[in-house]
Amino acid sequence: MPIAALLRRLALTAALGLAAVAPALAHPHVWITAKAELAYEAGRVTGIRHAWTFDPEYTAFLTQGLDTNGDGKLSSEELQGSAKEQAANLAEFAYFTKLKVAGKEQAFAEPQEARMAMEGGKLTLSFLLPLKTPVAQGRGVAAVEVYDPTYFIAFSLAEGADAVRLAGAAPGCSMTVTRAKNAEPAVASAGQSMTEAMFEALTTASNYGEQFANRAIVACP
């Protein structure tokens, strides 16, 4: 494995607290079911509140060593320290989130209100991702995308109408949600197989994973 690819894999693994134990030729390696809430205040977009639920296998790896009192349960106190760390470490990957308001990409401040909770054998990481500077949407469009450019992680929106919500938006705002395609990775060109080596060569600047993005577009009157 090239050094650059190895460093990228290790960095991503560390960011999510995961062990690289998935089958060598299986891609993606992590599955996350996502919910998002676009927050408004006084007509300005202020941030995005995420809730990401990990698949059971990676939940098990993510929670290794967190049961500090050995009672076989994970309390909110035991999860809290890890929640803050995991949310903060996602900065290197731009939180797998893009937000444009009136065509301009917005910058995020440090995550806040990080929490972890276990339910049904799955771990959910939630956090508020505030904008560095709240921005007025006016009659422009706000567009949110959630995806991993390298497709190491597969994001899918939760079922139901509340997978993406608006909080505090002006009356009359409407939203269109496009879910990630449920498809095998497309062959980049005729005769080229999508091997794990090809995925290892991808970086966070790659646009490969964009074809699997979840999108929400908000228009306000």
Side-chain angles (χ1 to χ4, degrees):
M1 180 184 298
I3 292 177
L6 177 60
L7 290 176
R8 176 178 61 77
R9 169 64 63 82
L10 291 176
L12 179 56
T13 299
L16 292 175
L18 304 173
V21 297
L25 296 179
H27 215 96
H29 295 269
V30 184
W31 287 263
I32 292 176
T33 301
K35 289 186 175 183
E37 181 180 88
L38 187 60
Y40 290 79
E41 184 176 337
R44 299 182 301 170
V45 181
T46 59
I48 301 172
R49 190 177 297 276
H50 283 303
W52 295 348
T53 301
F54 295 85
D55 65 80
E57 290 76 13
Y58 277 91
T59 289
F61 289 110
L62 191 61
T63 55
Q64 282 183 339
L66 297 185
D67 181 16
T68 54
N69 63 8
D71 67 352
K73 301 177 182 179
L74 290 170
S75 67
S76 58
E77 291 78 12
E78 289 170 327
L79 292 170
Q80 186 55 33
S82 181
K84 293 180 178 179
E85 179 182 3
Q86 303 307 332
N89 285 342
L90 291 169
E92 182 178 354
F93 307 95
Y95 306 99
F96 303 109
T97 304
K98 287 186 179 181
L99 172 62
K100 290 184 178 180
V101 179
K104 183 178 180 181
E105 188 164 347
Q106 304 299 308
F108 297 113
E110 293 183 359
Q112 301 175 4
E113 303 174 23
R115 299 286 187 274
M116 279 183 172
M118 284 284 290
E119 184 175 352
K122 295 180 181 180
L123 183 70
T124 295
L125 169 66
S126 61
F127 57 97
L128 173 64
L129 193 55
L131 295 185
K132 285 187 175 180
T133 304
V135 59
Q137 180 176 335
R139 295 185 177 180
V141 170
V144 181
E145 294 184 331
V146 179
Y147 68 97
D148 175 11
T150 69
Y151 203 49
F152 186 94
I153 299 172
F155 286 89
S156 61
L157 289 178
E159 297 295 329
D162 67 341
V164 183
R165 301 189 302 174
L166 304 179
C173 290
S174 61
M175 179 172 58
T176 301
V177 175
T178 303
R179 295 173 179 272
K181 294 187 297 183
N182 184 19
E184 294 297 322
V187 175
S189 61
Q192 180 181 358
S193 61
M194 305 300 277
T195 64
E196 191 71 9
M198 188 222 74
F199 284 107
E200 293 294 348
L202 297 177
T203 69
T204 53
S206 305
N207 61 3
Y208 178 82
E210 189 173 3
Q211 65 182 304
F212 303 103
N214 300 275
R215 296 182 177 89
I217 298 177
V218 181
C220 294

PDB file of all heavy atoms in Angstrom, residues 46-67:
ATOM      1  N   THR A  46     -27.515  29.178  10.651  1.00  0.00           N
ATOM      2  CA  THR A  46     -26.528  29.188  11.733  1.00  0.00           C
ATOM      3  C   THR A  46     -25.709  27.910  11.831  1.00  0.00           C
ATOM      4  O   THR A  46     -24.634  27.914  12.440  1.00  0.00           O
ATOM      5  CB  THR A  46     -27.210  29.431  13.091  1.00  0.00           C
ATOM      6  OG1 THR A  46     -28.175  28.383  13.326  1.00  0.00           O
ATOM      7  CG2 THR A  46     -27.919  30.783  13.103  1.00  0.00           C
ATOM      8  N   GLY A  47     -26.179  26.805  11.249  1.00  0.00           N
ATOM      9  CA  GLY A  47     -25.406  25.576  11.335  1.00  0.00           C
ATOM     10  C   GLY A  47     -26.222  24.352  10.979  1.00  0.00           C
ATOM     11  O   GLY A  47     -27.372  24.452  10.528  1.00  0.00           O
ATOM     12  N   ILE A  48     -25.607  23.200  11.178  1.00  0.00           N
ATOM     13  CA  ILE A  48     -26.235  21.917  10.884  1.00  0.00           C
ATOM     14  C   ILE A  48     -26.084  21.020  12.097  1.00  0.00           C
ATOM     15  O   ILE A  48     -24.993  20.901  12.667  1.00  0.00           O
ATOM     16  CB  ILE A  48     -25.569  21.233   9.671  1.00  0.00           C
ATOM     17  CG1 ILE A  48     -25.655  22.128   8.436  1.00  0.00           C
ATOM     18  CG2 ILE A  48     -26.222  19.880   9.388  1.00  0.00           C
ATOM     19  CD1 ILE A  48     -24.851  21.612   7.269  1.00  0.00           C
ATOM     20  N   ARG A  49     -27.167  20.388  12.483  1.00  0.00           N
ATOM     21  CA  ARG A  49     -27.130  19.424  13.581  1.00  0.00           C
ATOM     22  C   ARG A  49     -27.175  18.023  12.971  1.00  0.00           C
ATOM     23  O   ARG A  49     -28.133  17.663  12.294  1.00  0.00           O
ATOM     24  CB  ARG A  49     -28.303  19.627  14.524  1.00  0.00           C
ATOM     25  CG  ARG A  49     -28.199  18.811  15.806  1.00  0.00           C
ATOM     26  CD  ARG A  49     -29.356  19.118  16.739  1.00  0.00           C
ATOM     27  NE  ARG A  49     -29.337  20.515  17.158  1.00  0.00           N
ATOM     28  CZ  ARG A  49     -28.608  20.972  18.175  1.00  0.00           C
ATOM     29  NH1 ARG A  49     -27.840  20.141  18.860  1.00  0.00           N
ATOM     30  NH2 ARG A  49     -28.654  22.254  18.503  1.00  0.00           N
ATOM     31  N   HIS A  50     -26.114  17.252  13.208  1.00  0.00           N
ATOM     32  CA  HIS A  50     -26.000  15.910  12.643  1.00  0.00           C
ATOM     33  C   HIS A  50     -26.333  14.850  13.686  1.00  0.00           C
ATOM     34  O   HIS A  50     -26.075  15.029  14.886  1.00  0.00           O
ATOM     35  CB  HIS A  50     -24.568  15.640  12.154  1.00  0.00           C
ATOM     36  CG  HIS A  50     -24.223  16.281  10.862  1.00  0.00           C
ATOM     37  ND1 HIS A  50     -24.927  16.072   9.697  1.00  0.00           N
ATOM     38  CD2 HIS A  50     -23.205  17.125  10.518  1.00  0.00           C
ATOM     39  CE1 HIS A  50     -24.376  16.738   8.702  1.00  0.00           C
ATOM     40  NE2 HIS A  50     -23.332  17.398   9.172  1.00  0.00           N
ATOM     41  N   ALA A  51     -26.850  13.718  13.221  1.00  0.00           N
ATOM     42  CA  ALA A  51     -26.994  12.512  14.038  1.00  0.00           C
ATOM     43  C   ALA A  51     -26.625  11.336  13.145  1.00  0.00           C
ATOM     44  O   ALA A  51     -27.320  11.059  12.166  1.00  0.00           O
ATOM     45  CB  ALA A  51     -28.412  12.366  14.569  1.00  0.00           C
ATOM     46  N   TRP A  52     -25.512  10.674  13.449  1.00  0.00           N
ATOM     47  CA  TRP A  52     -24.983   9.599  12.617  1.00  0.00           C
ATOM     48  C   TRP A  52     -25.007   8.289  13.395  1.00  0.00           C
ATOM     49  O   TRP A  52     -24.380   8.165  14.453  1.00  0.00           O
ATOM     50  CB  TRP A  52     -23.543   9.900  12.191  1.00  0.00           C
ATOM     51  CG  TRP A  52     -23.410  11.103  11.306  1.00  0.00           C
ATOM     52  CD1 TRP A  52     -24.401  11.796  10.678  1.00  0.00           C
ATOM     53  CD2 TRP A  52     -22.181  11.755  10.943  1.00  0.00           C
ATOM     54  NE1 TRP A  52     -23.883  12.829   9.939  1.00  0.00           N
ATOM     55  CE2 TRP A  52     -22.535  12.835  10.083  1.00  0.00           C
ATOM     56  CE3 TRP A  52     -20.847  11.535  11.250  1.00  0.00           C
ATOM     57  CZ2 TRP A  52     -21.579  13.689   9.536  1.00  0.00           C
ATOM     58  CZ3 TRP A  52     -19.895  12.386  10.709  1.00  0.00           C
ATOM     59  CH2 TRP A  52     -20.255  13.447   9.865  1.00  0.00           C
ATOM     60  N   THR A  53     -25.692   7.300  12.866  1.00  0.00           N
ATOM     61  CA  THR A  53     -25.781   5.992  13.497  1.00  0.00           C
ATOM     62  C   THR A  53     -24.895   5.002  12.752  1.00  0.00           C
ATOM     63  O   THR A  53     -25.053   4.784  11.550  1.00  0.00           O
ATOM     64  CB  THR A  53     -27.232   5.490  13.508  1.00  0.00           C
ATOM     65  OG1 THR A  53     -28.045   6.421  14.227  1.00  0.00           O
ATOM     66  CG2 THR A  53     -27.322   4.118  14.175  1.00  0.00           C
ATOM     67  N   PHE A  54     -23.944   4.393  13.475  1.00  0.00           N
ATOM     68  CA  PHE A  54     -22.980   3.476  12.885  1.00  0.00           C
ATOM     69  C   PHE A  54     -23.560   2.062  12.778  1.00  0.00           C
ATOM     70  O   PHE A  54     -24.406   1.666  13.578  1.00  0.00           O
ATOM     71  CB  PHE A  54     -21.704   3.423  13.731  1.00  0.00           C
ATOM     72  CG  PHE A  54     -20.952   4.723  13.769  1.00  0.00           C
ATOM     73  CD1 PHE A  54     -21.292   5.700  14.692  1.00  0.00           C
ATOM     74  CD2 PHE A  54     -19.912   4.978  12.895  1.00  0.00           C
ATOM     75  CE1 PHE A  54     -20.606   6.901  14.742  1.00  0.00           C
ATOM     76  CE2 PHE A  54     -19.223   6.172  12.924  1.00  0.00           C
ATOM     77  CZ  PHE A  54     -19.572   7.140  13.845  1.00  0.00           C
ATOM     78  N   ASP A  55     -23.061   1.305  11.819  1.00  0.00           N
ATOM     79  CA  ASP A  55     -23.477  -0.087  11.690  1.00  0.00           C
ATOM     80  C   ASP A  55     -22.989  -0.876  12.906  1.00  0.00           C
ATOM     81  O   ASP A  55     -22.065  -0.453  13.609  1.00  0.00           O
ATOM     82  CB  ASP A  55     -22.951  -0.688  10.378  1.00  0.00           C
ATOM     83  CG  ASP A  55     -21.433  -0.761  10.346  1.00  0.00           C
ATOM     84  OD1 ASP A  55     -20.872  -1.695  10.936  1.00  0.00           O
ATOM     85  OD2 ASP A  55     -20.797   0.126   9.715  1.00  0.00           O
ATOM     86  N   PRO A  56     -23.632  -2.031  13.204  1.00  0.00           N
ATOM     87  CA  PRO A  56     -23.308  -2.757  14.438  1.00  0.00           C
ATOM     88  C   PRO A  56     -21.846  -3.169  14.557  1.00  0.00           C
ATOM     89  O   PRO A  56     -21.276  -3.115  15.656  1.00  0.00           O
ATOM     90  CB  PRO A  56     -24.224  -3.988  14.369  1.00  0.00           C
ATOM     91  CG  PRO A  56     -25.377  -3.550  13.518  1.00  0.00           C
ATOM     92  CD  PRO A  56     -24.776  -2.636  12.484  1.00  0.00           C
ATOM     93  N   GLU A  57     -21.233  -3.590  13.458  1.00  0.00           N
ATOM     94  CA  GLU A  57     -19.850  -4.053  13.525  1.00  0.00           C
ATOM     95  C   GLU A  57     -18.916  -2.926  13.954  1.00  0.00           C
ATOM     96  O   GLU A  57     -18.063  -3.091  14.832  1.00  0.00           O
ATOM     97  CB  GLU A  57     -19.413  -4.631  12.180  1.00  0.00           C
ATOM     98  CG  GLU A  57     -20.079  -5.951  11.812  1.00  0.00           C
ATOM     99  CD  GLU A  57     -21.515  -5.779  11.333  1.00  0.00           C
ATOM    100  OE1 GLU A  57     -21.922  -4.622  11.045  1.00  0.00           O
ATOM    101  OE2 GLU A  57     -22.228  -6.793  11.262  1.00  0.00           O
ATOM    102  N   TYR A  58     -19.087  -1.771  13.349  1.00  0.00           N
ATOM    103  CA  TYR A  58     -18.198  -0.667  13.698  1.00  0.00           C
ATOM    104  C   TYR A  58     -18.591  -0.011  15.008  1.00  0.00           C
ATOM    105  O   TYR A  58     -17.760   0.600  15.671  1.00  0.00           O
ATOM    106  CB  TYR A  58     -18.119   0.331  12.552  1.00  0.00           C
ATOM    107  CG  TYR A  58     -17.109  -0.146  11.530  1.00  0.00           C
ATOM    108  CD1 TYR A  58     -17.508  -0.932  10.468  1.00  0.00           C
ATOM    109  CD2 TYR A  58     -15.766   0.127  11.689  1.00  0.00           C
ATOM    110  CE1 TYR A  58     -16.586  -1.414   9.567  1.00  0.00           C
ATOM    111  CE2 TYR A  58     -14.831  -0.346  10.800  1.00  0.00           C
ATOM    112  CZ  TYR A  58     -15.247  -1.124   9.730  1.00  0.00           C
ATOM    113  OH  TYR A  58     -14.331  -1.610   8.851  1.00  0.00           O
ATOM    114  N   THR A  59     -19.830  -0.155  15.401  1.00  0.00           N
ATOM    115  CA  THR A  59     -20.210   0.258  16.748  1.00  0.00           C
ATOM    116  C   THR A  59     -19.382  -0.509  17.775  1.00  0.00           C
ATOM    117  O   THR A  59     -18.885   0.070  18.748  1.00  0.00           O
ATOM    118  CB  THR A  59     -21.709  -0.009  16.995  1.00  0.00           C
ATOM    119  OG1 THR A  59     -22.486   0.915  16.222  1.00  0.00           O
ATOM    120  CG2 THR A  59     -22.067   0.163  18.466  1.00  0.00           C
ATOM    121  N   ALA A  60     -19.201  -1.816  17.539  1.00  0.00           N
ATOM    122  CA  ALA A  60     -18.440  -2.641  18.476  1.00  0.00           C
ATOM    123  C   ALA A  60     -17.002  -2.167  18.587  1.00  0.00           C
ATOM    124  O   ALA A  60     -16.441  -2.095  19.693  1.00  0.00           O
ATOM    125  CB  ALA A  60     -18.487  -4.100  18.026  1.00  0.00           C
ATOM    126  N   PHE A  61     -16.387  -1.811  17.455  1.00  0.00           N
ATOM    127  CA  PHE A  61     -15.006  -1.338  17.501  1.00  0.00           C
ATOM    128  C   PHE A  61     -14.912   0.052  18.120  1.00  0.00           C
ATOM    129  O   PHE A  61     -13.996   0.345  18.877  1.00  0.00           O
ATOM    130  CB  PHE A  61     -14.403  -1.328  16.096  1.00  0.00           C
ATOM    131  CG  PHE A  61     -14.150  -2.702  15.567  1.00  0.00           C
ATOM    132  CD1 PHE A  61     -14.917  -3.210  14.539  1.00  0.00           C
ATOM    133  CD2 PHE A  61     -13.156  -3.508  16.102  1.00  0.00           C
ATOM    134  CE1 PHE A  61     -14.709  -4.487  14.051  1.00  0.00           C
ATOM    135  CE2 PHE A  61     -12.933  -4.785  15.633  1.00  0.00           C
ATOM    136  CZ  PHE A  61     -13.718  -5.284  14.603  1.00  0.00           C
ATOM    137  N   LEU A  62     -15.877   0.891  17.808  1.00  0.00           N
ATOM    138  CA  LEU A  62     -15.846   2.261  18.297  1.00  0.00           C
ATOM    139  C   LEU A  62     -15.979   2.331  19.804  1.00  0.00           C
ATOM    140  O   LEU A  62     -15.461   3.252  20.443  1.00  0.00           O
ATOM    141  CB  LEU A  62     -16.976   3.064  17.638  1.00  0.00           C
ATOM    142  CG  LEU A  62     -16.965   4.581  17.807  1.00  0.00           C
ATOM    143  CD1 LEU A  62     -15.709   5.187  17.213  1.00  0.00           C
ATOM    144  CD2 LEU A  62     -18.192   5.184  17.160  1.00  0.00           C
ATOM    145  N   THR A  63     -16.665   1.356  20.390  1.00  0.00           N
ATOM    146  CA  THR A  63     -16.918   1.387  21.834  1.00  0.00           C
ATOM    147  C   THR A  63     -15.948   0.523  22.639  1.00  0.00           C
ATOM    148  O   THR A  63     -16.100   0.409  23.859  1.00  0.00           O
ATOM    149  CB  THR A  63     -18.358   0.931  22.125  1.00  0.00           C
ATOM    150  OG1 THR A  63     -18.578  -0.367  21.545  1.00  0.00           O
ATOM    151  CG2 THR A  63     -19.359   1.918  21.539  1.00  0.00           C
ATOM    152  N   GLN A  64     -14.961  -0.067  21.984  1.00  0.00           N
ATOM    153  CA  GLN A  64     -13.993  -0.878  22.712  1.00  0.00           C
ATOM    154  C   GLN A  64     -13.300  -0.044  23.781  1.00  0.00           C
ATOM    155  O   GLN A  64     -12.821   1.060  23.523  1.00  0.00           O
ATOM    156  CB  GLN A  64     -12.945  -1.450  21.757  1.00  0.00           C
ATOM    157  CG  GLN A  64     -13.426  -2.636  20.957  1.00  0.00           C
ATOM    158  CD  GLN A  64     -12.335  -3.222  20.082  1.00  0.00           C
ATOM    159  OE1 GLN A  64     -11.348  -2.557  19.769  1.00  0.00           O
ATOM    160  NE2 GLN A  64     -12.502  -4.467  19.661  1.00  0.00           N
ATOM    161  N   GLY A  65     -13.266  -0.572  24.991  1.00  0.00           N
ATOM    162  CA  GLY A  65     -12.553   0.088  26.077  1.00  0.00           C
ATOM    163  C   GLY A  65     -13.308   1.215  26.753  1.00  0.00           C
ATOM    164  O   GLY A  65     -12.782   1.824  27.687  1.00  0.00           O
ATOM    165  N   LEU A  66     -14.530   1.498  26.319  1.00  0.00           N
ATOM    166  CA  LEU A  66     -15.272   2.611  26.908  1.00  0.00           C
ATOM    167  C   LEU A  66     -16.038   2.210  28.169  1.00  0.00           C
ATOM    168  O   LEU A  66     -16.438   3.071  28.945  1.00  0.00           O
ATOM    169  CB  LEU A  66     -16.249   3.204  25.881  1.00  0.00           C
ATOM    170  CG  LEU A  66     -15.621   3.836  24.631  1.00  0.00           C
ATOM    171  CD1 LEU A  66     -16.703   4.494  23.775  1.00  0.00           C
ATOM    172  CD2 LEU A  66     -14.548   4.856  25.009  1.00  0.00           C
ATOM    173  N   ASP A  67     -16.239   0.916  28.361  1.00  0.00           N
ATOM    174  CA  ASP A  67     -16.948   0.441  29.553  1.00  0.00           C
ATOM    175  C   ASP A  67     -15.960   0.404  30.716  1.00  0.00           C
ATOM    176  O   ASP A  67     -15.473  -0.650  31.132  1.00  0.00           O
ATOM    177  CB  ASP A  67     -17.540  -0.944  29.294  1.00  0.00           C
ATOM    178  CG  ASP A  67     -18.309  -1.486  30.494  1.00  0.00           C
ATOM    179  OD1 ASP A  67     -18.643  -0.680  31.403  1.00  0.00           O
ATOM    180  OD2 ASP A  67     -18.568  -2.706  30.529  1.00  0.00           O
TER     181      ASP A  67
END
